[in-house]
Amino acid sequence: MSFPSSGLVSSSRDDTVTRHDAPPKQPPPGVVLDKDGKPCRTCTSSAAWMAMMKSSTGKTTKPVVPITTPASDCPPDVEELGRSTWTLLHSIAATYPENAPPETQSITKQFISTFSKLYPCWVCADDFRAWMAKPGNEPKVKGQEELGQWMCQAHNVVNVKLGKPEFNCNLWKQRWKDGWDDGRCD
């Protein structure tokens, strides 16, 4: 759910990280390499992917679809995947019980843990797991307000890493549950 600092580190789904002795081939700007050293489509923006494909074919013609708007039937890029994921996660928080019973709390923690291991962008998944492993960042699941605040804080950590503005977490219920006070969602 965030971009890596470099494509020089490869990782596997079992949380092991390997640094190669020989310097790896540098990917084009904005392209993230998967654990096998090949470009990771899910971890790369559509614009960077299309630029890489254009440069690899040597074609200088303009793409039929602008690079900022991939066709809706194409695999999601890292930006679309991130937006969709945050929408799902915030929506789960917005519909979470006010006071979750112990079983729901356990299931939610298990879901977040599993999610962080299966997320399609491996770099984002590794980053999210590392953030959650720090003291104080474990999922807060006792009730809707606690989970909503935790989710907003997790999202803001990613926003900061991506150079985006932080969201005011005092407004999370307006944004994800009730709608804005000005009535625009009514």
Side-chain angles (χ1 to χ4, degrees), residues 2 26 31 45 76 89 105 115 117 128 136 145 154 160 166 171:
S2 68
Q26 280 284 22
V31 175
S45 73
L89 293 174
Q105 292 180 40
F115 161 83
K117 293 174 183 163
F128 189 52
E145 181 64 29
V160 168
E166 290 185 66
L171 301 175

Side-chain angles (χ1 to χ4, degrees), residues 25 36 44 49 51 56 58 67 83 102 110 114 119 123 127 131-132 136 140 149 167 176:
K25 181 181 174 186
D36 60 6
T44 303
W49 187 268
S56 69
I67 60 175
R83 281 189 303 274
Q110 186 177 16
T114 302
Y119 192 72
V123 176
D127 190 54
W131 177 78
M132 287 192 302
K140 309 286 191 281
Q149 286 289 331
F167 183 79
W176 297 105

Side-chain angles (χ1 to χ4, degrees), residues 77-89:
D77 70 354
V78 70
E79 293 159 2
E80 181 183 354
L81 181 62
R83 281 189 303 274
S84 299
T85 299
W86 285 119
T87 296
L88 173 66
L89 293 174

